[in-house]
Amino acid sequence: MGAKKHGFLKSIGIFLLVCLACELGLRLFGYGNYTVYRPDDRLLWVPEPGRTVTVVNHLPITINDQGFRYPFDLKPKHGDEFRIIAFGDSSTQGWGVDDHSHYSAYLESMLNHGNCPREHFEVVSAGVNAYPNSLVAEKVKEVLEDNVAQPDIAIVAYSYNSNFEKLIKLQGAARKSFLRRVEFKSIVRRSAIYNFLIEGVLRRIAYYQLRHLVMAGTLSTLNGMDQLDMDQFNQGLEQSLKLTRARHVQMVLLLLGSDEQTPNSEMHPFQKAMLEFAETHHVPLVNMIPVISSKDQAAMFMDPAHPTAAGHQVIAGQLLQLINNLPSYQAACSGTNPPAVKVQSTLAVTGRHAQETGNINRQ
């Protein structure tokens, strides 16, 4: 019995040493340095501040102390600053691209090198990995209620994570249980071995299929349509629009598409609802589906939903065309006050661009 116990303990020791060697070795290649998401009573999960690397491609990702993907913390604006905040999921956060290659970063560079010398532009990504549209709406509310953020424009992007729209409604024991699972994942995700095996080697087999057990997320645009709460989706957009208008913030909708999706493809009901909401409420909307579908899909997407750096640059270019014609932008660049009837002026601008570029869909 003594020899067996000694052999067993020796095997355990060797196993632990091998695990330690693997853990340390994998860290040399970036594993164990992914963004960690901590539980949050209001938003369920939020990214922890710090400099980490993306899951795909292991490129730098910086999260500031306010939870934004931005190189520094936002402070109250000065007179010559024009601020844009983009809300959405991992596509808005910038999945698999570096700090300079998501559409918010590209848009900031384009605006600061454009034809408006009067203003300094800040374009901030408030996207959070795996957020469904319902949590995007709650994120908009949280940011707009903060007097520090003070955006001039709020871009609200379509989220692909439709299977998890109802998570925001979790209450009591169910909500606490979910937050515990988020906390559990925040612990195991610090492990390089977990990063390599679960989020790397077994990504499609285990991670995307099973990660809902510990935290929400899906890349599906057409799946997850059972028992959709269309009222909740529209109420989220209405809440965001009400908040932005009350604070004199221009709301812009961004309808993202997926790999191989064309204007003739079946659309997710939420995508259709976003188009209808934009038309009904006179909200400028950039429809990326006809734009991206006309380009090489392999160059635009790194997986079924996440844009490549080139895809992000195209998105930024389409947003730039719209923003250049918004009354708030033109007023800031000319040093005048924006028109009193802001929404009607904006509607005329977007209608003209729909005819000229096809990037605004107001069917």
Side-chain angles (χ1 to χ4, degrees):
M1 291 295 295
K4 289 182 178 180
K5 182 178 180 181
H6 177 76
F8 174 74
L9 293 176
K10 183 178 179 180
S11 298
I12 292 296
I14 293 174
F15 174 75
L16 291 176
L17 286 174
V18 171
C19 288
L20 178 61
C22 290
E23 181 74 20
L24 296 176
L26 288 170
R27 287 183 178 276
L28 297 176
F29 296 93
Y31 296 100
N33 193 33
Y34 292 169
T35 303
V36 172
Y37 295 84
R38 61 174 176 80
D40 183 82
D41 289 338
R42 180 173 184 176
L43 294 168
L44 298 181
W45 65 92
V46 294
E48 289 189 356
R51 291 183 58 84
T52 57
V53 297
T54 60
V55 174
V56 175
N57 302 324
H58 288 186
L59 296 172
I61 175 171
T62 302
I63 304 296
N64 70 12
D65 289 339
Q66 295 156 316
F68 303 139
R69 187 173 188 181
Y70 204 62
F72 54 83
D73 294 340
L74 300 184
K75 297 180 180 179
K77 292 185 302 181
H78 298 293
D80 63 343
E81 292 179 339
F82 192 98
R83 184 173 292 165
I84 301 171
I85 300 181
F87 300 88
D89 60 8
S90 53
S91 292
T92 293
Q93 187 186 69
W95 177 269
V97 297
D98 64 34
D99 283 333
H100 305 290
S101 302
H102 54 89
Y103 70 76
S104 296
Y106 276 127
L107 181 59
E108 178 177 286
S109 178
M110 292 173 181
L111 287 167
N112 281 316
H113 291 87
N115 300 318
C116 182
R118 295 180 56 89
E119 295 292 309
H120 170 71
F121 293 92
E122 296 176 344
V123 185
V124 181
S125 173
V128 179
N129 183 34
Y131 268 17
N133 295 284
S134 57
L135 283 179
V136 172
E138 190 62 23
K139 181 72 173 180
V140 172
K141 183 178 181 181
E142 181 191 61
V143 171
L144 290 182
E145 289 174 345
D146 180 1
N147 293 327
V148 173
Q150 300 174 320
D152 296 282
I153 296 174
I155 300 170
V156 179
Y158 175 79
S159 169
Y160 299 108
N161 301 293
S162 57
N163 283 344
F164 300 94
E165 295 291 343
K166 296 182 180 181
L167 284 174
I168 197 171
K169 295 184 177 180
L170 291 175
Q171 299 293 331
R175 193 177 187 91
K176 290 180 179 179
S177 175
F178 183 83
L179 291 174
R180 284 196 297 269
R181 283 180 281 167
V182 174
E183 185 174 14
F184 172 73
K185 182 174 179 179
S186 74
I187 296 172
V188 299
R189 205 180 201 212
R190 300 174 193 272
S191 166
I193 294 175
Y194 172 85
N195 291 168
F196 176 75
L197 289 178
I198 303 302
E199 299 191 46
V201 176
L202 302 178
R203 170 167 294 277
R204 295 190 179 279
I205 299 174
Y207 186 63
Y208 282 141
Q209 299 300 321
L210 302 177
R211 71 175 180 174
H212 65 278
L213 296 176
V214 291
M215 190 171 148
T218 176
L219 289 180
S220 175
T221 56
L222 295 178
N223 295 328
M225 292 191 286
D226 297 334
Q227 300 180 339
L228 288 177
D229 192 337
M230 300 304 299
D231 289 337
Q232 176 182 274
F233 178 81
N234 285 307
Q235 287 168 8
L237 291 176
E238 290 171 2
Q239 171 187 281
S240 298
L241 182 59
K242 182 179 180 180
L243 288 167
T244 52
R245 288 182 173 173
R247 288 162 174 77
H248 307 290
V249 177
Q250 174 65 66
M251 180 174 169
V252 171
L253 294 175
L254 174 60
L255 181 57
L256 298 172
S258 56
D259 186 16
E260 302 295 344
Q261 187 177 15
T262 72
N264 296 322
S265 302
E266 180 185 3
M267 297 184 74
H268 191 284
F270 287 163
Q271 290 177 316
K272 296 178 183 177
M274 181 173 277
L275 288 172
E276 293 169 358
F277 182 89
E279 180 178 12
T280 301
H281 296 276
H282 309 317
V283 179
L285 181 145
V286 174
N287 184 357
M288 291 306 303
I289 296 173
V291 179
I292 291 288
S293 64
S294 66
K295 301 183 182 297
D296 178 8
Q297 299 299 277
M300 294 292 102
F301 292 97
M302 64 179 69
D303 60 31
H306 294 116
T308 61
H312 278 281
Q313 194 168 22
V314 173
I315 295 170
Q318 296 299 304
L319 286 167
L320 178 68
Q321 291 183 38
L322 184 147
I323 290 169
N324 281 341
N325 288 278
L326 289 178
S328 56
Y329 170 89
Q330 294 179 340
C333 291
S334 64
T336 61
N337 292 324
V341 188
K342 194 172 185 179
V343 176
Q344 292 180 358
S345 298
T346 300
L347 177 61
V349 170
T350 58
R352 185 169 64 251
H353 262 256
Q355 296 175 358
E356 293 175 353
T357 67
N359 70 314
I360 311 300
N361 190 322
R362 303 186 59 253
Q363 299 174 346

